[in-house]
Amino acid sequence: MKNLLLPALVIAGKDLYSEWKTRQIVTTMLIFSSLIIVTFSFAFDPSNQSVRVLIPGMIWIITIFAAILGLNRSFTTEQSNDHIHAFVVAPIDASSVFLGKFIANFIFVLIVQIIAIPLLFLLFDFRVLTIESIFYLVGIIFLGTFGFVSVGTFLAALSSNSKSSEMLLPILLLPLATPVVIAAVQATRIVLIDLEKLSSAMSWMQLMIAYDLIFFVAGLLLFEYVLEV
Amino acid sequence: MIQSNNIIKTIGEKMILRGMNLEIASGETVAIIGPNGAGKSTWLKITAGLLKPTEGSLLIDEEPLKKDKYELQQIIGYLGHQSFLYEHFSPVENLRFFAKLYHVKKPDKRIDDLIEEVGLTFFKYEPVRSFSRGMIQRLAIARAILHDPKILLLDEPHTGLDQQAVDILNKVILRLKKKGVTVVLVTHDFPQVIKTCDRVIILKNGRVKDDIPLEGQDVNWLYTHYERQAIHS
Amino acid sequence: MQQDKGLTNLPEPSLLHRVMVMITIPAVVVALYLVFIWSPVERQMGVVQKIFYFHVGSAWNAFLAFGVVAVFSILFLITRKRIYDMIAGVSAEIGVVFTAIVLTTGPIWGRSAWNVWWNWEPRLTTTVILFFIYIAYITVRSLDMEWQKKGRLSAVLGVIGAINVPIVYMSVRWWESTLHPVVMGEGVEESGGGMEPSMLFTFIFTVLTMTLVYTVLMQKGIYIEKLRIHVAKLKAKQQEKMIS
């Protein structure tokens, strides 16, 4: 406990504090996601009502690309002064680095989503939200982002060993994240567009829970091999 | 305190250490010198727990240094080539972060004292980004000794420092020596070796070439001895 | 010096490998004969059906190869023996070739069976994802690092990738059934179940032969890897001599 949870919180706190001081990562992610939304509105006519069915996909495309942007920074910033070595030498569990980084990345992506998704609804004039669907949407976004960020954090650490890690990360991450992306998009679609099929959305959410658990635990267990020098 | 039993380390196809046998007693101040590529830094990294030996074993306090040996990691202070400091944080913020990682009790008082000792009180709240190499190194040494380690491993700490910074660094090393801390110093800077250490180990081709006490010797003797041992033979 | 002696002797291909090559060459010829001449032409699809033998054989080998990658990745992480890393790496390279065969023969089959080049059928989609995971794995292996580190990172990826493949299959299957409620063409399975005996025999024989080809390629690949390491060691030794 002392060597896993506490250092994880310290590392996450360090990242959040650093972000609070520089406001680099979240700002860039936000600008980038707004630009994606603007590009969407050029690509798909927002005044056309049939574009509504594309909204669930858009939500997750924004999440994926903005998250990759942030994940890339997550470990390359630790590379400049060999901070990773400091973590290896310190009396902390390797998994706590994963946990700490995961918490920080998760919070960054959630902040971006809280701003970007309402913006998307606004610009595409998506108004058919009910309290119920918002409730489910929040749950789905939480589960989907959890899975994506846990695999992403793990692979970001892995690819940060390479000099061209920004190029490597998407190649590693997207195929491995396929299940959670499929599940998240499908569940979002059901919740936003035909809420009657809620039971089907529930089973997608179960799949996401399974995926989240498997890869979160795999990340915790395997992280020491990634961290070794 | 530190016991290195026939350590072999291969990185890629290259054998860096070819059977390192070395024993360092508690409270000793030891310098490790040798030509480039002799394996000095590699051995220090293994001692710090950063690398794993390919063969052989490293014992600290008679216990093998493995992962999850938190008690052992807690008593080791390591200063590598890089400072491990975050550039956009101030010295206080940097040290506070490491104090939390090492579970230091009453960190604020300790951080203040250390910053004063390395002469950075005036720059306490400035971001490290604006620091010179000497200031960064002074802060890095404060970071390495923050958690009161019993073993201090320094990898070329004097490189690129001005006279003032070297003096501060030596003062810190000598103070720790008096306190009974085991200090291992990898360096090329012979005058500092004479000033601070009481034993010198010459490494060549991944093996211990010579192991001599330094009492009463001066720099010139060390230069000639080193030349004989490491270059001509 | 034992090490020096090891350096002067070039590694030799094993006897088992020679025997395997001797078995594989006639087996491939027989398999080709069985597929193209001996087995009857399928009534509905005609000659195109013959691609099915290669398609399924490659698919089986692609998944087998990835299984081998996963198993030897775990072994490598535990024991850190170089041979396991080599086996995993070579197996991935062969696997990607078989996956490419599956992905080219699949659309040809699909065009004549379902009249579309591509459909998001679970097995095909899983194979595409598998293909990309393989590519990611090989990309990591081609990074410029010492082999210990590279082996460790790629082994971790091999394990994660292997965990992922069944989950991908499940989710794609689910996704496909919600998107296209009419599950089109149980084509491959159907012909697997109600096959004529001669076709069935040809099918089994081809799959076995392709597995043989995989094994021979594995042995060859490992042998090449060994030679490569040998050269690197000789080079390192020579450099050392030049310096001192």
Side-chain angles (χ1 to χ4, degrees):
Chain A
M1 207 54 165
K2 187 181 162 202
N3 297 303
L4 177 69
L5 209 60
L6 209 65
L9 291 177
V10 171
I11 291 168
K14 187 268 297 172
D15 273 7
L16 292 174
Y17 179 63
S18 153
E19 184 55 29
W20 177 251
K21 280 190 84 170
T22 59
R23 295 190 183 83
Q24 238 178 8
I25 298 175
V26 171
T27 320
T28 319
M29 281 160 85
L30 270 176
I31 295 171
F32 183 66
S33 41
S34 325
L35 284 172
I36 299 179
I37 296 174
V38 172
T39 314
F40 276 149
S41 55
F42 296 145
F44 315 106
D45 181 10
S47 57
N48 187 342
Q49 272 304 300
S50 64
V51 168
R52 245 160 39 97
V53 294
L54 297 177
I55 298 272
M58 289 180 187
I59 290 177
W60 289 99
I61 289 177
I62 294 167
T63 305
I64 289 169
F65 285 107
I68 287 180
L69 210 61
L71 288 166
N72 257 329
R73 296 280 299 170
S74 169
F75 281 91
T76 44
T77 48
E78 303 285 354
Q79 218 76 5
S80 60
N81 260 331
D82 281 350
H83 304 112
I84 292 287
H85 293 192
F87 293 147
V88 179
V89 174
I92 57 174
D93 199 294
S95 314
S96 70
V97 181
F98 172 74
L99 196 58
K101 284 283 170 188
F102 167 77
I103 294 171
N105 288 330
F106 192 48
I107 291 174
F108 292 160
V109 177
L110 283 184
I111 291 172
V112 171
Q113 285 172 324
I114 287 171
I115 298 169
I117 294 172
L119 188 70
L120 178 78
F121 287 161
L122 202 85
L123 289 180
F124 276 77
D125 197 24
F126 189 83
R127 271 185 280 192
V128 274
L129 286 172
T130 59
I131 300 291
E132 201 189 359
S133 64
I134 289 177
F135 173 74
Y136 284 115
L137 183 66
V138 169
I140 291 163
I141 284 175
F142 186 85
L143 287 176
T145 312
F146 189 99
F148 190 78
V149 172
S150 53
V151 185
T153 305
F154 185 80
L155 293 174
L158 200 157
S159 63
S160 73
N161 284 290
S162 150
K163 283 184 193 75
S164 50
S165 59
E166 311 81 35
M167 293 200 275
L168 189 59
L169 178 64
I171 292 179
L172 301 185
L173 178 52
L174 290 179
L176 285 168
T178 322
V180 80
V181 172
I182 293 176
V185 173
Q186 292 308 314
T188 314
R189 192 180 56 83
I190 292 166
V191 166
L192 288 186
I193 291 161
D194 49 342
L195 202 58
E196 298 95 70
K197 286 194 193 152
L198 195 64
S199 66
S200 174
M202 283 310 203
S203 46
W204 282 118
M205 282 162 87
Q206 278 162 8
L207 180 78
M208 280 195 274
I209 292 172
Y211 181 94
D212 291 359
L213 279 179
I214 291 170
F215 280 94
F216 188 68
V217 171
L220 280 178
L221 292 179
L222 290 172
F223 202 72
E224 68 178 89
Y225 297 108
V226 176
L227 216 55
E228 238 174 70
V229 180
Chain B
M1 198 77 183
I2 304 172
Q3 201 180 340
S4 160
N5 295 326
N6 210 13
I7 287 184
I8 294 174
K9 177 73 189 173
T10 331
I11 296 177
E13 309 300 337
K14 262 200 191 128
M15 208 185 233
I16 311 276
L17 296 177
R18 310 156 180 265
M20 248 314 256
N21 283 307
L22 188 60
E23 203 164 323
I24 293 172
S26 179
E28 266 189 303
T29 309
V30 182
I32 297 180
I33 57 177
N36 287 331
K40 304 180 299 273
S41 291
T42 309
W43 182 78
L44 204 69
K45 278 181 187 163
I46 291 176
T47 314
L50 204 52
L51 291 176
K52 281 183 189 161
T54 313
E55 272 170 57
S57 65
L58 189 103
L59 307 182
I60 286 183
D61 264 349
E62 325 256 291
E63 266 186 87
L65 183 66
K66 278 189 194 146
K67 62 152 189 148
D68 301 348
K69 280 277 179 191
Y70 305 125
E71 312 84 56
L72 292 186
Q73 286 174 324
Q74 183 74 50
I75 62 165
I76 297 175
Y78 171 69
L79 173 59
H81 286 274
Q82 299 287 344
S83 63
F84 297 173
L85 300 170
Y86 291 93
E87 301 223 309
H88 50 274
F89 282 173
S90 69
V92 173
E93 287 163 342
N94 264 305
L95 292 184
R96 238 181 236 152
F97 171 63
F98 285 100
K100 279 186 211 149
L101 279 190
Y102 280 91
H103 318 293
V104 176
K105 297 197 179 70
K106 287 194 198 146
D108 288 341
K109 173 89 177 63
R110 174 115 185 103
I111 289 168
D112 277 352
D113 291 349
L114 276 176
I115 288 182
E116 203 186 325
E117 188 176 5
V118 295
L120 290 175
T121 315
F122 191 67
F123 303 94
K124 230 172 166 176
Y125 300 109
E126 294 295 310
V128 173
R129 198 189 304 115
S130 59
F131 282 20
S132 69
R133 157 90 187 148
M135 288 156 83
I136 289 177
Q137 191 70 353
R138 270 142 68 180
L139 186 58
I141 183 105
R143 194 224 83 230
I145 61 174
L146 180 64
H147 54 288
D148 258 325
K150 286 198 193 116
I151 298 171
L152 183 60
L153 308 168
L154 304 170
D155 198 347
E156 302 192 17
H158 297 98
T159 312
L161 297 189
D162 61 10
Q163 199 49 52
Q164 192 204 356
V166 167
D167 285 344
I168 290 176
L169 182 56
N170 284 350
K171 227 190 277 166
V172 172
I173 295 174
L174 290 172
R175 178 176 71 82
L176 292 174
K177 188 175 165 182
K178 221 174 267 168
K179 260 178 68 184
V181 174
T182 316
V183 182
V184 181
L185 199 68
V186 163
T187 187
H188 289 292
D189 197 334
F190 291 1
Q192 315 313 327
V193 171
I194 294 290
K195 271 184 211 159
T196 51
C197 300
D198 30 50
R199 181 178 162 201
V200 66
I201 286 151
I202 299 177
L203 235 61
K204 199 187 172 190
N205 285 338
R207 284 196 195 91
V208 175
K209 180 86 184 167
D210 200 4
D211 184 346
I212 28 172
L214 265 182
E215 223 161 275
Q217 307 287 9
D218 65 359
V219 181
N220 292 332
W221 173 85
L222 186 59
Y223 273 119
T224 44
H225 188 79
Y226 176 76
E227 217 158 277
R228 234 189 357 253
Q229 286 295 332
I231 300 171
H232 292 304
S233 60
Chain C
M1 293 276 271
Q2 207 183 0
Q3 200 199 350
D4 286 351
K5 212 174 140 199
L7 281 180
T8 46
N9 298 344
L10 275 179
E12 297 263 336
S14 63
L15 181 69
L16 182 69
H17 173 63
R18 286 176 204 176
V19 173
M20 291 286 276
V21 174
M22 286 305 158
I23 300 171
T24 308
I25 293 171
V28 169
V29 175
V30 172
L32 286 176
Y33 171 80
L34 288 179
V35 169
F36 287 110
I37 299 169
W38 187 71
S39 70
V41 174
E42 214 252 353
R43 215 178 307 126
Q44 284 183 348
M45 292 185 56
V47 261
V48 182
Q49 181 267 340
K50 292 192 184 296
I51 210 167
F52 152 82
Y53 300 117
F54 300 108
H55 179 75
V56 179
S58 306
W60 147 247
N61 273 308
F63 282 87
L64 171 73
F66 208 70
V68 169
V69 172
V71 169
F72 282 91
S73 293
I74 294 172
L75 281 178
F76 177 76
L77 284 181
I78 296 169
T79 63
R80 302 294 168 103
K81 289 214 175 94
R82 190 168 194 177
I83 180 77
Y84 296 144
D85 177 49
M86 274 157 53
I87 293 175
V90 172
S91 183
E93 280 172 21
I94 301 167
V96 84
V97 175
F98 279 116
T99 319
I101 295 176
V102 177
L103 291 182
T104 36
T105 50
I108 299 174
W109 165 276
R111 179 79 170 104
S112 39
W114 310 312
N115 208 23
V116 280
W117 285 109
W118 187 268
N119 72 54
W120 293 97
E121 191 259 343
R123 271 160 300 198
L124 214 49
T125 314
T126 310
T127 315
V128 175
I129 301 297
L130 183 72
F131 185 64
F132 282 119
I133 295 176
Y134 264 132
I135 289 180
Y137 181 84
I138 288 174
T139 318
V140 170
R141 288 199 77 87
S142 63
L143 291 179
D144 184 27
M145 285 187 263
E146 61 269 26
W147 71 266
Q148 290 97 336
K149 197 171 180 182
K150 203 155 63 185
R152 191 161 40 89
L153 294 181
S154 49
V156 168
L157 192 62
V159 174
I160 292 263
I163 300 173
N164 198 40
V165 170
I167 306 178
V168 171
Y169 180 75
M170 248 169 52
S171 56
V172 176
R173 209 194 160 105
W174 235 351
W175 166 59
E176 203 257 355
S177 63
T178 52
L179 263 196
H180 322 282
V182 192
V183 182
M184 39 187 345
E186 283 284 304
V188 180
E189 250 166 28
E190 230 168 62
S191 40
M195 249 193 296
E196 208 186 306
S198 65
M199 280 181 164
L200 187 66
F201 176 74
T202 313
F203 169 64
I204 292 170
F205 192 86
T206 333
V207 170
L208 285 179
T209 308
M210 291 188 84
T211 315
L212 266 182
V213 172
Y214 166 77
T215 328
V216 168
L217 287 177
M218 273 302 286
Q219 289 175 322
K220 203 63 157 183
I222 291 166
Y223 174 60
I224 293 171
E225 260 327 282
K226 275 186 182 157
L227 283 181
R228 203 173 278 160
I229 293 167
H230 193 78
V231 170
K233 273 189 183 150
L234 280 179
K235 244 189 200 166
K237 207 164 172 264
Q238 196 62 34
Q239 275 173 354
E240 229 165 77
K241 249 188 218 159
M242 305 272 270
I243 290 167
S244 57

